[in-house]
Amino acid sequence: MTELWQESARALAQKVRDREVSALDVAEAHLARALRWNDHVGAFLHLEPDDVRRQARELDRRVAAGADLGPLAGVPVAIKDNMCVTGMPTTCASRFLEPYESPWDAHAITKLREADAILFGKTNLDEFAMGSSTENSAFGPTRNPYALDRTAGGSSGGSAAAVAAGLVPLALGSDTGGSIRQPAAFCGIVGLKPSYGVVSRYGLVAFASSLDQIGPLARDVDDAALLLDVIGGHDPRDATSSVHSLKDLNGDVGSLRGMRIGIPTEYFGEGLAPEVRAAVGAAHATLTGRGATVTEVSLPLTKFGIAVYYIVAPSEASSNLARYDGVRFGTRGDGDDVSSMFQTSRGDGFGPEVKRRILLGTFALSSGYYDAYYGRAQKVRAALRAEMEAAFDDVDVLLTPTTPTVAFELGEKAQDPLAMYLNDVLTVSANLCGTPAISVPCGRSSDGMPIGLQLIGPRFGEASLLRVARAYENAAEMGYRWPAEPGA
Amino acid sequence: MWPPPVGSSDFRGRLRAVNLRAVGITTDEVRRIAALARLRITDQEAESLAGDLERIVQYIDQLAEVELPDEADSLTYFDQDVHREDRRGECLPKEDVLRNAPETDGEYFVVPQIVDKDDS
């Protein structure tokens, strides 16, 4: 028998709408599992069972009153702890914001409430979303449900682990250089970074504003599409929120005849683990079997992506994080005058990676270096974008691996920032170019760790991206493999 | 053709340090940048950050190799008109705004003295 915590978000919402189960039943099933698992994986930073039950009971009263219910009726959704939710802390996994509770909801949260979702709790992340392993959390790392000595990825590691282990069917993440897709790949689930502008960032704590995007994590493509459909749409409170509306996200699983898929050869270079290469190779055959045509394309600027990213993102971060001064919110350090108070507040409140990036960004923007670093990076970024847009003249979707390797061990790269940065090499281009990209499970390594493939589409090409992802998922017939019970 | 041949170039870019601009990041330089960023760091942090930043900057220096036209574009994403009329909107109540502050007097944020008494 399928347990409630194993059901998809679609099935749960349908059961609640049909009064087959109550929202409270759904909540209790997920709470029991989350409370058992969280000590082992460290997925949640905030989980308040009574608050979850209160939301569920309130929804059940509306069900009983015959109210019209939203598309996520009774579905527990976990929220990465860099999005503002009233009534919950918003810490960004930082000591600086440990006492912070937002006076407003993020736009994506408002949409979840309107859709009748249950806001289940706040998930762990690298401090201010800066990292690729969730080891930069001030409150301890998230562990991979499939191997507790390995990373769940990052920065949305808590959201990915929670979905993978069945603590929730859906979670929100944010993706600045791969922070949804890489943990999704490491945890064997689906993670989608929408096109820049599709989801409002109002209430998302800003890291790098020309790159940040909110998106869904789910156990299958249809659930990810459902959540994207709920949170997307224009919001005047975010000036970068697009007026372009996405259509046909929930299409059928049809043939891929006529669909042109491009393989960028640069994504298969040295440094790619043989097992990842083989799994993505098998996916290529699966897609061809569905009628797609596959051609090689070349994106020679790909190898400069990390260098561009690690100028642009820290530069924007150094500016965005100037607001943490100990005056209006957060932790305040000692100081006889206001300047030394700023310095101690920031020095005490930020962890090592946040300091590193603030300094790198301040350096890249500082007088004498601006043209050589930030200015040059912006130009290479424009060239990278032009190169990718040209590729989409010939193909509809690009197929690549999501990560060079499967999940690495905790501590393996923690002392080597550059090695950690290079882990994002296959995901940063989609952020730099503003294009949508999705990671879909495509197999396992010999030691049982999940492998993800990445599909990248042209900007606002979510519909065809999801169509290919859905067709692949359906044809590959992988099924979902639940992690072993912890301590078993 | 599948799989594509293993590329001759590493997709991670050049990993070996080639210091094109010879920007040395010393502990003094780190302290200067930290002061610009209003960030207090310890001597030990300055030491380890100097090493980290040196390596990262050497890596990103490979951008100097990219051949670009003289008048290369710089990217901007604001490809829609985001201007609107200036109009009055709702604000958060004062108590909500002050609730998260480390120190207030109930009306204002309180900070250490900014202006010297002699200056007033």
Side-chain angles (χ1 to χ4, degrees), chain A residues 99-104 196 210 234 239-244 263 265-272 277-278 280-282 284 296 301-304 306-308 310-311 326-332 335-339 341-344 346-348 350 352 355-356 358-360 362-363 366-367 369 372-373 375-383 385 404 416-419 421-422 425-426 431-435 459, chain B residues 1-16 19-25 29-42 45-46 48-84 87 92-93 95-104 108-116:
Chain A
Y100 184 71
E101 195 178 309
S102 172
W104 59 72
Y196 188 76
S210 76
H234 181 63
T240 66
S241 166
S242 174
V243 292
H244 187 106
I263 306 267
T265 46
E266 289 80 2
Y267 281 70
F268 294 86
E270 245 177 84
L272 185 66
R277 189 182 170 80
V280 179
H284 151 271
E296 280 187 25
L301 291 175
T302 300
K303 67 177 175 181
F304 296 108
I306 289 289
V308 173
Y310 278 95
I311 294 171
V327 174
R328 290 151 301 157
F329 44 75
T331 308
R332 177 178 292 188
D336 294 336
D337 58 59
V338 78
S339 181
M341 186 275 281
F342 290 163
Q343 296 195 27
T344 52
R346 294 160 65 77
D348 296 348
F350 292 144
K355 288 179 184 172
R356 200 177 285 127
I358 288 174
L359 293 183
L360 184 55
T362 305
F363 168 78
S366 65
S367 174
Y369 296 114
Y373 290 103
R376 179 112 194 134
Q378 285 292 70
K379 287 180 179 172
V380 178
R381 181 179 179 182
R385 182 184 176 184
D416 185 351
L418 188 57
Y421 297 174
L422 289 166
V425 63
L426 305 175
N431 301 81
L432 293 168
C433 300
T435 59
R459 194 160 177 223
Chain B
M1 177 179 102
W2 186 267
V6 174
S8 53
S9 71
D10 191 308
F11 60 33
R12 295 166 295 186
R14 191 161 56 224
L15 299 175
R16 296 237 179 273
N19 204 343
L20 293 174
R21 252 183 290 273
V23 176
I25 308 234
E29 178 71 353
V30 169
R31 283 194 198 89
R32 186 186 72 84
I33 303 163
L36 287 174
R38 301 286 183 271
L39 190 62
R40 194 188 63 174
I41 52 169
T42 63
E45 283 178 311
S48 73
L49 283 162
D52 290 346
L53 294 185
E54 173 87 21
R55 260 191 88 214
I56 296 164
V57 169
Q58 281 178 6
Y59 177 80
I60 61 187
D61 263 344
Q62 65 187 292
L63 290 183
E65 295 167 30
V66 185
E67 281 177 34
L68 294 170
D70 290 343
E71 296 300 313
D73 278 347
S74 288
L75 184 113
T76 163
Y77 264 114
F78 294 87
D79 50 2
Q80 60 187 15
D81 182 9
V82 295
H83 297 96
R84 60 164 174 79
R87 55 179 184 267
L92 285 173
E95 51 272 24
D96 284 357
V97 173
L98 294 175
R99 199 177 63 218
N100 280 292
E103 192 180 349
T104 78
Y108 297 98
F109 300 111
V110 174
V111 294
Q113 188 168 342
I114 296 175
V115 183
D116 285 342

Side-chain angles (χ1 to χ4, degrees), chain A residues 391-454:
Chain A
F392 286 121
D393 289 343
D394 301 321
V395 297
D396 300 300
V397 167
L398 297 170
L399 168 69
T400 79
T402 308
T403 56
T405 64
V406 295
F408 47 88
E409 285 177 19
L410 289 167
E412 191 180 323
K413 298 178 200 282
Q415 300 309 316
D416 185 351
L418 188 57
M420 190 71 91
Y421 297 174
L422 289 166
N423 187 66
D424 300 336
V425 63
L426 305 175
T427 48
V428 291
S429 286
N431 301 81
L432 293 168
C433 300
T435 59
I438 189 169
S439 181
V440 181
C442 73
R444 298 269 167 163
S445 66
S446 53
D447 51 3
M449 296 309 291
I451 300 171
L453 66 79
Q454 176 177 238

Side-chain angles (χ1 to χ4, degrees), chain A residues 152-281:
Chain A
S155 64
S156 310
S159 284
V163 171
L167 317 188
V168 283
L170 289 176
L172 289 181
S174 66
D175 190 315
T176 304
S179 280
I180 290 174
R181 291 161 285 157
Q182 183 254 29
F186 281 2
C187 291
I189 60 169
V190 174
L192 169 63
K193 182 201 86 74
S195 302
Y196 188 76
V198 162
V199 181
S200 165
R201 287 101 47 90
Y202 178 82
L204 169 71
V205 176
F207 160 17
S209 302
S210 76
L211 304 163
D212 297 340
Q213 188 59 202
I214 295 172
L217 294 105
R219 286 191 297 269
D220 65 30
V221 175
D222 279 334
D223 268 7
L226 174 66
L227 183 51
L228 176 63
D229 210 14
V230 165
I231 61 175
H234 181 63
D235 171 23
R237 296 174 299 182
D238 172 359
T240 66
S241 166
S242 174
V243 292
H244 187 106
S245 63
L246 300 177
K247 292 188 182 68
D248 303 323
L249 297 180
N250 298 303
D252 58 354
V253 184
S255 146
L256 289 180
R257 197 154 302 282
M259 189 67 82
R260 300 163 303 167
I261 293 171
I263 306 267
T265 46
E266 289 80 2
Y267 281 70
F268 294 86
E270 245 177 84
L272 185 66
E275 288 183 308
V276 175
R277 189 182 170 80
V280 179

Side-chain angles (χ1 to χ4, degrees), chain A residues 66-96:
Chain A
D68 278 341
L69 298 178
L72 294 178
V75 176
V77 182
I79 297 130
K80 186 178 183 179
D81 197 20
N82 61 350
M83 290 174 229
C84 293
V85 181
T86 53
M88 294 183 188
T90 298
T91 70
C92 293
S94 179
R95 292 273 170 225
F96 196 102

Side-chain angles (χ1 to χ4, degrees), chain A residues 99-151:
Chain A
Y100 184 71
E101 195 178 309
S102 172
W104 59 72
D105 278 334
H107 181 74
I109 301 304
T110 304
K111 297 294 240 178
L112 287 181
R113 292 191 199 272
E114 287 169 4
D116 292 321
I118 303 295
L119 305 179
F120 196 77
K122 305 293 289 288
T123 57
N124 203 2
L125 65 153
D126 289 292
E127 185 177 3
F128 287 103
M130 297 178 188
S132 309
S133 69
T134 319
E135 288 168 288
N136 295 332
S137 167
F139 310 118
T142 298
R143 294 169 183 279
N144 194 305
Y146 292 97
L148 297 176
D149 58 346
R150 299 204 197 197
T151 178

